[in-house]
Each structure stands twice: as C-alpha cells, then as structure tokens.
Amino acid sequence: MAESDDQYDELGKLYERTKHIPTGLAERATFLSALPDLRGRSVLDVACGTGFYPREFRRRGAVRVVGVDSAAEMIGYAREVESRAPQGIEYHRHDATTLPVLGVFDVVTAVWLLGYAEDEAALDLMIGNLRANLAPGGTLAVLVPNPDADWDVLADYGRYGYEVSRTGPAGVRQPVAVHVLGDPPFDFDSFYWPGGTFEAALTRGGLTGVARHATVVPDDERGEEFWGPLRRSPSFAVYTGRG
C-alpha cells in the first residue's frame, strides 16, 4: 500500500469513528429514518466527507449517488474507498457556496453543512444551491447542530462520545468546540444557530412541508436511562422539505 493510501486510511478511521460513538449512532438512526425509500432513486450528498453516507445510500438501493465536498483530503479518501470496492459512486470537489447544478436528483442531503455558513446570506446561498439540484417534488434533508439544545445536557455529553463547550459569545451563531473522546481524541469547531433559523431559511429557499424529525436512538441494552437525555436534547437536528 502506498504512503498516500495509509494517510487516507488514518483520516477515514479518525473521521468515521464519530459515526460509531453513541451520538453518531443516534445521528445515523435519526437521519436515515427521515429519508424516503431510496430504492431506484438518485441522491446528491453535499459535504459528504469521507463518503460514509453515500455508501449507505447505495446499500439502501439508490441507483445514482454523487458525493461532493470542499476538502481535497475527504474526497481523496472517498475515492480511494470507491477504487478498492467500486459501488458506482461519483465524487466531486466543490464548495457549497459555489455548487453548480450537477443533475436533477430525487434526494439531496447535507449533513453538518449548514451550521458552517458564515451568516444568513451564506445560509440562503447554500440552500439555494442545494435546491437547484433537487427534482420537483424531491426531498431535501439536512442535519444541523440542534438549535434548541439544552446546554446542561451538552455539559454532560461525554457519555455519548464527545464534549461540547462554548468558545465565544452567542450572536447570529454560537461558536463551540467539540472534543471527540477516544484514542486518539481530536477536536473540531462547530456553530449553534438560534431556534427557528433553519426552518425559516429552508422556507425562504422555496421548500415546502419543512419539518423537524424526532430523534431516534438505538434500541439496545443501555435503555432509556442512558439514551433519555440525548433523546431530549441531541447535539444535532434533522429537517426535511420538498422541492
């Protein structure tokens, strides 16, 4: 294996670990339950990262899947995985603020993307670009930082795999640092927007039937005593709308 392949593997293992910690399991369950049946459909995933969700969409029967990300390292890893085990997934490097029309897709998704918009104008631009790729009547699904998060719950979020701490004053968006636990631990920045922001932006973008989906947690032996606080105040929120 080439040195670059080793680097991609390490990146993928680090990033995709967040999908297997408790909050990642709840994220996946909530997000995937909000999607329509993907069998025979086309899906565009914007901010696809390492291709985790595009691969899941293919497993769920999507006939055309395209992943887009602005980070060369993420697209490099996704393409490396595709080259080793081809599933027919296309990957392209684009920024969400300059995303071109890549086709007409039955479903367009964006996981953790919209929270990084610099302001409401950038948020509207991103949503407009997502919708421009959406077929009439298609589904747009976004996963964002939970605008209604209970900060007392987030203060004890380590049981779910990472810690969230505020790093600046609340304004249009609340800057936070996310410390992912494990070996090795790693950090990334995020932003929590005020309640109502994403529903309003999706509606301004021309989406209809905009709705937030209930949090879904794994049905495992840890039970409600463990999952209850996350169910009440997850770190994420999932919204859908129709084009």
Side-chain angles (χ1 to χ4, degrees), residues 2 7 15 25 36 46 53-54 56 61-64 78 83 93 114 129-130 134 158 172 175 185 193 223 228:
Q7 292 171 348
Y15 178 82
L25 297 176
V46 182
Y53 280 114
E56 182 63 32
V63 293
R64 184 190 180 202
S83 70
R93 188 182 177 194
L114 297 184
N129 290 341
L130 296 174
L134 186 64
V172 175
W193 291 68

Side-chain angles (χ1 to χ4, degrees), residues 98-162:
T98 56
L99 178 69
V101 175
L102 298 173
V104 179
F105 294 86
D106 300 311
V107 179
V108 176
T109 62
V111 175
W112 294 116
L113 169 67
L114 297 184
Y116 288 100
E118 293 185 357
D119 51 31
E120 286 197 354
L123 180 62
D124 288 345
L125 179 60
M126 287 182 179
I127 291 172
N129 290 341
L130 296 174
R131 189 174 184 275
N133 282 276
L134 186 64
T139 298
L140 174 64
V142 299
L143 185 144
V144 298
N146 181 9
D148 302 312
D150 181 333
W151 290 95
D152 288 336
V153 173
L154 291 187
D156 190 33
Y157 214 72
R159 71 170 78 181
Y160 303 121
Y162 61 63

Side-chain angles (χ1 to χ4, degrees), residues 1 4-5 7-13 15-16 48-56 59 73-91:
M1 181 180 294
S4 60
D5 292 348
Q7 292 171 348
Y8 285 143
D9 279 343
E10 291 306 312
L11 170 70
K13 290 174 183 176
Y15 178 82
E16 294 194 0
C48 68
T50 58
F52 180 88
Y53 280 114
R55 294 190 292 275
E56 182 63 32
R59 283 192 288 271
E73 295 85 356
M74 294 293 186
I75 289 296
Y77 177 83
R79 286 174 174 165
E80 180 64 25
V81 173
E82 175 67 18
S83 70
R84 295 180 194 174
Q87 298 186 51
I89 302 172
E90 303 171 38
Y91 291 103

Side-chain angles (χ1 to χ4, degrees), residues 16-31:
E16 294 194 0
R17 199 175 77 219
T18 62
K19 305 303 184 187
H20 300 282
I21 59 179
T23 190
L25 297 176
E27 170 199 308
R28 269 197 279 165
T30 305
F31 182 63

Side-chain angles (χ1 to χ4, degrees), residues 25-39:
L25 297 176
E27 170 199 308
R28 269 197 279 165
T30 305
F31 182 63
L32 293 172
S33 71
L35 300 180
D37 186 349
L38 298 183
R39 287 175 292 184

